Amino acid sequence: MSLWVDKYRPVSLSKVDYHKTQAEHLRNLVQQGDFPHLLFYGPCGAGKKTRIMMLLRELYGTGVEKLRMGHLNFQTSNNKKLEIMSVSSNYHIEINASDAGIYDKIVVMELIKNAAQTHQLDVNGQGEFKIILLNEVDKLTKDAQQALRRTMEKYIATCRLILCANSISQVIPAIRSRCLSIRVPSPTNEEIISILMNICKKEGLSLPTELARRIAEKCDGNLRRAILMCETCKINQYPFDKNQNIVEPDWQKFIYETASIILKEQSPQNLLNIRSRLYELLCHGIPTEIIFKHLLKHLLKNCNLSVKKEIIQVAAEFEHRLHRGSKIIFHLEAFVAKLMLIETNFITSYMCDILEFS
Amino acid sequence: MQAFITSNKSSLNSGESSTKQTTKKDEKKNKKSIPWVEKYRPHTVDDIVEQNEIVATLKQCLAGADLPHFLFYGPPGSGKTSTIIAAARQLFGDMYKDRILELNASDDRGIQVIRDKVKTFSQVTVSSTRSDGKPCPPYKIIILDEADSMTSAAQAALRRTMEKETKSTRFCLICNYVSCIIQPLTSRCAKYRFKPLSKEMMLNRLKLICKEENVLYEEKSLDVLVDACGGDLRRAITCLQSCARLKGNKSLALEDILEVTGIIPDHYIIMMFEVCRERNFEKIENFVEKLLSEAYCAPQVLEQFLELIISSNDLTDIQKSHICEKIAVCSWRLQDGASEYVQLLDLCYCVINVL
């Protein structure tokens, strides 16, 4: 019994639910049996991975779906041992090089060298080149990306890279210009709704359009999350009620609560309280970008119009510092403290105005 | 900028190496996989367009005058490498492979290589007749591509070699920035600047390629492609090939060109400005989210937005300068890895402030 997300993942390029012209383009590309390095980019849950797997399937047939897990061992120059998980089939190997942290350069170089220096044994059965699938290229260090650039050229005859990233602004231009970049935008709300309806129909359930619309609005264009939400709803309550509660991720609620606390009371005591909440989030491995983005979103929604500009300005500055500095909590806290100051200033000036007026 | 330029160059090199290696393996496939940039390189000096001075010089050399050391500089994709290779081909005929040594940044090119490889190659003298008896110039050409990325020690090591071996060898240095070449080398060479290609020239070339390769296209799409590549013919041709591959047998439409070059459709950028003008905060937030869910890349947004601001007529100079400053700050922060969402919002709010 698999999750709906996996069960209803389209497996062939002719069966995608949205971005149909793009799928056709990809098919054209593969039909010639050869393609340049590819770079897929788009937000989470837009279907990058699904498209890559479809592409491979189109190229090699169902064999690519026989996956096996492997562990790759690497040794850094100062004898530190690294272990990286890999998923591979006869035709391709997939790794997440950013798992190795600052040692990702070694992983990238070794892996590609090993994979690329050997030719395929059986040209007819396996094709002329191997495929290396690298996830989260935007999280790679600049060093690793530079290393990639050289290896990409050198081994183009024996291997093709498929890179997968959330945003290409963090991918160096040198890599971008070597790849054919393929943009995968999020599905629109209407597309999400129709997909949810379809899935429910196949499951033999009836989903009220109203509920589907609410799920689509809540999922931020993330189709994977939409389908998971829908399945959770089904477990919680079936038959569906159009006003039923949609379960949101815990961390999201937690961040929203934190934002409300900031707006409610501005005092050193409260700052201490917020600190423990931020630590709590970080301990649970919520990425900083997500904490920051949701915090800001919620604040903007609930604060007064006149302070919005100031908040954004401060946010942009602190968010930038976050990436330059080393300790995340400092910057998050500084941001919160600054927010409190802005809010207090605003309230006092507001009070003064009222007093003067009266 | 530097990264971009070198990247462009080396992507070409990658193409070269791939074709070389596939020739050994499979000749049939090779025909298909030659990158068009290689296939449509000019074959003779006469084919070269736009760069009149250098063409005139080279023609004289072909007619029998002596060939000086050359230094070619200019923006990427303006035909520097193509020119010297075409000239060498005409000078040496079939033997041109033996008579030239091409080194570029992807080959290891420290001082050691200059000492060993370049020196030994330059010391060999060659005869003044071809194998078929025709006369040909008694020298070899060493092409140092991307010379601006050579270390200055390696450049210094070249100085004496260049002078001593003039009898048997001519050098041709190719670079993007002449300022990166040390003075003693520039004074030993005849310097030629390559202009970026004009729009009409590029358009003609692209049309020719489309005709040869049976690619269908819409007039407007080629215009956009030429605009997007700004005088870099190589980038234009590479983009054209990627597009053609994606589309199969169908006609190239405007959207495909935008997709491959990564350019954001104009209406998004105009909308961004309009939304700021309305001063509606909620709309701005929604718009930025929409832009990011479409997976457009924020630095590109900044670049195109800057163009819009500069060319806009209804902003005062002071307003423009404020916005431009903010764009610069945002772009710097994005380079450091800051979040696209926050930075774009910041920019939009700044625009509101200024208006």
Side-chain angles (χ1 to χ4, degrees), chain B residues 46 108 160 204-205 236 262 277:
Chain B
D46 295 297
D108 186 28
R160 194 71 192 120
N204 284 343
R205 197 74 192 159
R277 217 167 238 186

Side-chain angles (χ1 to χ4, degrees), chain B residues 64-183:
Chain B
D66 197 29
L67 193 80
H69 294 307
F70 284 121
L71 172 63
F72 293 165
Y73 63 101
S78 52
K80 301 178 292 293
T81 316
S82 303
T83 307
I84 190 69
I85 288 185
R89 229 180 236 170
Q90 274 186 295
L91 275 173
F92 304 123
D94 298 336
M95 299 155 59
Y96 101 103
K97 282 238 162 86
D98 310 324
R99 290 288 181 94
I100 64 171
L101 174 69
E102 204 185 332
L103 294 171
N104 58 32
S106 48
D107 304 310
D108 186 28
R109 222 172 28 173
I111 189 162
Q112 204 57 41
V113 176
I114 297 290
R115 281 189 185 139
D116 303 341
K117 223 171 166 182
V118 173
K119 250 189 176 169
T120 43
F121 184 80
S122 61
Q123 278 163 356
V124 179
T125 47
V126 286
S127 74
S128 58
T129 46
R130 287 187 196 181
S131 47
D132 54 359
K134 279 186 208 151
C136 84
Y139 47 73
K140 305 169 300 298
I141 298 180
I142 296 183
I143 302 170
L144 293 171
D145 215 336
E146 291 158 55
D148 38 6
S149 63
M150 273 165 82
T151 59
S152 51
Q155 289 187 30
L158 262 182
R159 282 154 55 167
R160 194 71 192 120
T161 322
M162 260 173 111
E163 275 180 351
K164 242 171 44 192
E165 314 298 343
T166 353
K167 261 200 176 153
S168 56
T169 315
R170 297 289 186 279
F171 282 86
C172 179
L173 305 180
I174 298 176
C175 63
N176 294 122
Y177 303 107
V178 76
S179 53
C180 298
I181 307 289
I182 57 170
Q183 195 68 44

Side-chain angles (χ1 to χ4, degrees), chain A residues 98-295:
Chain A
S98 54
D99 285 352
I102 55 165
Y103 297 110
D104 51 359
K105 184 180 170 189
I106 298 157
V107 175
V108 167
M109 284 173 65
E110 292 285 316
L111 172 87
I112 299 179
K113 241 184 227 166
N114 285 344
Q117 274 176 345
T118 50
H119 284 264
Q120 295 281 44
L121 280 175
D122 173 16
V123 174
N124 295 328
Q126 290 186 301
E128 264 179 69
F129 44 80
K130 288 179 197 168
I131 289 187
I132 299 174
L133 184 54
L134 279 182
N135 280 325
E136 295 185 14
V137 195
D138 44 348
K139 298 271 168 16
L140 289 179
T141 56
K142 290 280 175 306
D143 260 0
Q145 294 192 28
Q146 294 289 357
L148 202 60
R149 153 184 184 182
R150 186 79 196 88
T151 18
M152 272 167 101
E153 291 170 1
K154 217 163 158 187
Y155 301 112
I156 195 170
T158 46
C159 77
R160 295 285 183 283
L161 289 174
I162 297 182
L163 311 175
C164 185
N166 275 338
S167 141
I168 49 169
S169 58
Q170 295 307 315
V171 181
I172 57 172
I175 291 189
R176 262 188 273 164
S177 76
R178 279 173 181 71
C179 299
L180 176 56
S181 21
I182 292 166
R183 187 169 61 91
V184 187
S186 312
T188 59
N189 281 359
E190 286 73 44
E191 280 162 346
I192 294 180
I193 292 172
S194 82
I195 290 167
L196 289 179
M197 298 299 258
N198 257 339
I199 288 179
C200 285
K201 211 159 128 200
K202 277 183 200 151
E203 283 285 314
L205 310 171
S206 73
L207 178 71
T209 328
E210 183 64 16
L211 184 65
R213 199 180 53 75
R214 277 176 54 216
I215 293 177
E217 274 165 12
K218 286 240 162 132
C219 71
D220 290 333
N222 188 333
L223 184 59
R224 178 176 31 221
R225 196 192 284 173
I227 298 176
L228 285 173
M229 274 177 175
C230 186
E231 194 169 0
T232 327
C233 284
K234 190 235 154 187
I235 292 167
N236 280 347
Q237 185 186 349
Y238 187 78
F240 290 121
D241 176 37
K242 67 179 178 182
N243 293 321
Q244 91 178 74
N245 187 29
I246 298 170
V247 182
E248 283 182 44
D250 282 343
W251 52 266
Q252 200 168 327
K253 268 194 217 153
F254 196 79
I255 294 176
Y256 285 171
E257 273 169 33
T258 315
S260 316
I261 295 176
I262 296 174
L263 289 175
K264 209 157 74 193
E265 190 195 326
Q266 296 84 30
S267 65
Q269 188 54 44
N270 206 15
L271 187 59
L272 213 60
N273 185 10
I274 302 276
R275 168 193 276 181
S276 63
R277 290 184 81 96
L278 289 176
Y279 264 123
E280 177 95 20
L281 280 169
L282 290 174
C283 288
H284 283 84
I286 310 292
T288 350
E289 293 103 82
I290 290 189
I291 299 180
F292 208 98
K293 189 175 169 183
H294 284 273
L295 202 58

